[in-house]
Amino acid sequence: MGPGLYSEIGKKARASGTKKNELIFGEIHSQLKNKNVTVDVKANSDSNLLTTVTIDELATPGLKTIFSFVVPDQRSGKVELQYLHDYAGVNASIGLTANPVVNLAGVVGTKALSVGADVSFDTATGNFTKYNAGLSVTNADLVAALTLNNKGDSLGASYYHLVSPLSAVGAELTHSFASSENTLTFGTQHQLDPLTTVKARFNNYGKASALIQHEWRPKSFLTISTEVDTKAIEKSSKVGLSLVLKP
């Protein structure tokens, strides 16, 4: 198995707790699949409809084409190519606008050790809007990652440990060079039974979140989540509901 894509660097530690997109107030996700074509449709409480069309193994093994757009955002259309190899992973995307943003990311290495970079260029302004780099080390029950983000301003280190077949813990430390601020986040997840998982996350600024996810039928999930600022509980609590339907 190869190193995967750049977006997977540090993903394990973030997944050990709740993620931002798991705290949506309301979401319905449906998926249709026919041979090598998959269509995903997501509708959320902000009246946005995200449609993603994925074509696997296009022309050559390991190559994937993805077309996505959000209704009603007319500038959200994007085409992406992903290629996975035993020792490399590359993805490139371009927005479907007159002056698109072009993104290119690549990873080289193995499943155990990989390094990568992620760059975005805005053709409208002629400026680089993003350049990140990352390093990931993986073994059977531990994943560690080091990333440099926000044009070199943010340094992050993350750690994920599978402490048992049912439980995992993770931590992420982010340092901003511009503001000299540090953000430390701890996360944990536990499988209550083969179909139900709970997750929780807490950071040094007092933000806490938790969720419970139940697979009520194969590949279909019901998720209930909550988020609270422990320093302002009376005005910051949020509750989320997500429903994923897949054939």
Side-chain angles (χ1 to χ4, degrees), residues 58-70:
L58 182 66
T60 184
L63 181 63
K64 179 185 295 186
T65 302
I66 302 171
F67 171 64
S68 62
F69 60 92
V70 178

Side-chain angles (χ1 to χ4, degrees), residues 21-56:
N21 60 2
E22 289 178 326
L23 295 167
I24 296 173
F25 176 75
E27 179 184 82
I28 296 177
H29 178 192
S30 182
Q31 183 184 85
L32 300 174
K33 192 168 185 177
N34 182 23
K35 296 181 180 179
N36 66 330
V37 179
T38 303
V39 179
D40 288 277
V41 179
K42 292 182 181 180
N44 62 35
S45 55
D46 293 326
S47 299
N48 291 326
L49 185 67
L50 170 62
T51 301
T52 304
V53 180
T54 304
I55 305 174
D56 291 308

Side-chain angles (χ1 to χ4, degrees), residues 27-231:
E27 179 184 82
I28 296 177
H29 178 192
S30 182
Q31 183 184 85
L32 300 174
K33 192 168 185 177
N34 182 23
K35 296 181 180 179
N36 66 330
V37 179
T38 303
V39 179
D40 288 277
V41 179
K42 292 182 181 180
N44 62 35
S45 55
D46 293 326
S47 299
N48 291 326
L49 185 67
L50 170 62
T51 301
T52 304
V53 180
T54 304
I55 305 174
D56 291 308
E57 307 294 328
L58 182 66
T60 184
L63 181 63
K64 179 185 295 186
T65 302
I66 302 171
F67 171 64
S68 62
F69 60 92
V70 178
V71 177
D73 187 356
Q74 298 180 357
R75 295 176 54 84
S76 63
K78 183 175 70 173
V79 174
E80 180 177 355
L81 292 176
Q82 295 181 357
Y83 179 69
L84 294 175
H85 184 268
D86 288 343
Y87 300 103
V90 179
N91 64 293
S93 66
I94 183 170
L96 300 179
T97 62
N99 298 294
V101 174
V102 180
N103 181 259
L104 178 64
V107 176
V108 294
T110 65
K111 180 65 175 178
L113 176 64
S114 61
V115 294
D118 183 19
V119 178
S120 288
F121 180 77
D122 189 341
T123 60
T125 62
N127 295 323
F128 286 96
T129 59
K130 177 176 67 174
Y131 37 88
N132 304 326
L135 166 70
S136 178
V137 178
T138 304
N139 66 20
D141 60 357
L142 185 148
V143 180
L146 186 67
T147 56
L148 188 64
N149 299 316
N150 299 328
K151 300 181 180 180
D153 175 64
S154 178
L155 180 66
S158 62
Y159 165 84
Y160 170 89
H161 184 205
L162 188 65
V163 295
S164 76
L166 301 178
S167 301
V169 296
E172 185 175 27
L173 175 64
T174 303
H175 174 75
S176 172
F177 294 104
S179 63
S180 297
E181 291 184 348
N182 296 311
T183 302
L184 180 60
T185 304
F186 294 99
T188 183
Q189 67 180 43
H190 179 71
Q191 190 173 7
L192 297 177
D193 58 51
L195 301 177
T196 308
T197 301
V198 292
K199 297 182 180 182
R201 183 178 65 176
F202 183 81
N203 69 19
N204 59 316
Y205 290 102
K207 295 288 183 68
S209 57
L211 68 80
I212 182 168
Q213 184 177 77
H214 179 68
E215 186 177 9
W216 55 281
R217 73 176 191 182
K219 297 187 290 184
S220 294
F221 299 90
L222 174 65
T223 304
I224 300 174
S225 59
T226 182
E227 183 182 70
V228 64
D229 184 346
T230 59
K231 298 180 180 179

Side-chain angles (χ1 to χ4, degrees), residues 7-29:
S7 59
E8 296 171 2
I9 293 179
K11 185 177 180 179
K12 276 285 189 179
R14 294 191 297 271
S16 65
T18 59
K19 301 190 290 291
K20 182 178 180 180
N21 60 2
E22 289 178 326
L23 295 167
I24 296 173
F25 176 75
E27 179 184 82
I28 296 177
H29 178 192

